[in-house]
Amino acid sequence: FMHRSAGGSQPVDGVREITEADLPACQEVASLAFGVGPELAAAVYTADTLRRPDAMAFGLFVDDELVSCLLSCRAGDTVTGWALATHPDHRRAGHAARLIAGGKHVETGLHGPSQDLCLASPAGVPLYASLGFHTTEYWQGWSRPRWVLGAA
């Protein structure tokens, strides 16, 4: 689990709020990025989520193609990022960092400054650390319980 204080906002060309018309592209990117079926990706990026007053979705578009997307939820002065996905054909090009900074800029402009939280994958930790996040807790998730694996 990672945290950073208020900051990290900057305008980024190509970053904008996701609309319902963008949802099929978001669902496709999430499906490919996370290696899950389209039904599961469609359960994450939904029109209902876009209509929530405490949630926003952002996308980074390159030549009018969605290459990266993320969801965020706000509770008071805290914003938590979820489901950051970059299309596999566009990874390792800085798109996720640009999307985080640009999405933060849009979100801050609409709702004011906030501290940020995220649950980073092991592969994502260096990215978030480079953006000023620091690890606050380690959470184990999506693993088999010890009683299935035996005592360690």
Side-chain angles (χ1 to χ4, degrees):
F1 206 69
M2 300 185 79
H3 169 266
R4 75 172 170 187
S5 300
S9 166
Q10 65 183 31
V12 174
D13 288 339
V15 173
R16 65 172 171 80
E17 196 170 350
I18 292 296
T19 66
E20 286 191 38
D22 300 317
L23 285 174
C26 286
Q27 294 161 355
E28 178 182 9
V29 168
S31 176
L32 293 169
F34 297 131
V36 299
E39 301 83 16
L40 184 54
V44 173
Y45 283 94
T46 69
D48 287 340
T49 300
L50 296 182
R51 288 191 285 269
R52 290 180 57 112
D54 61 344
M56 295 188 77
F58 305 99
L60 173 64
F61 293 80
V62 175
D63 298 326
D64 295 324
E65 177 188 3
L66 179 72
V67 298
S68 192
C69 52
L70 72 84
L71 294 172
S72 71
C73 296
R74 180 181 273 268
D77 70 343
T78 302
V79 171
T80 303
W82 302 103
L84 172 61
T86 299
H87 192 288
D89 293 344
H90 297 279
R91 289 184 179 155
R92 313 280 324 148
H95 296 313
R98 292 176 53 218
L99 177 58
I100 292 167
K104 176 72 174 181
H105 181 75
V106 173
E107 201 274 334
T108 298
L110 293 170
H111 302 290
S114 64
Q115 63 179 337
D116 299 314
L117 299 173
C118 70
L119 183 58
S121 68
V125 169
L127 164 70
Y128 290 105
S130 75
L131 298 173
F133 286 79
H134 64 274
T135 301
T136 58
E137 291 185 16
Y138 291 95
W139 288 9
Q140 181 177 350
W142 307 108
S143 66
R144 299 187 118 195
R146 285 187 199 155
W147 63 86
V148 174
L149 300 175

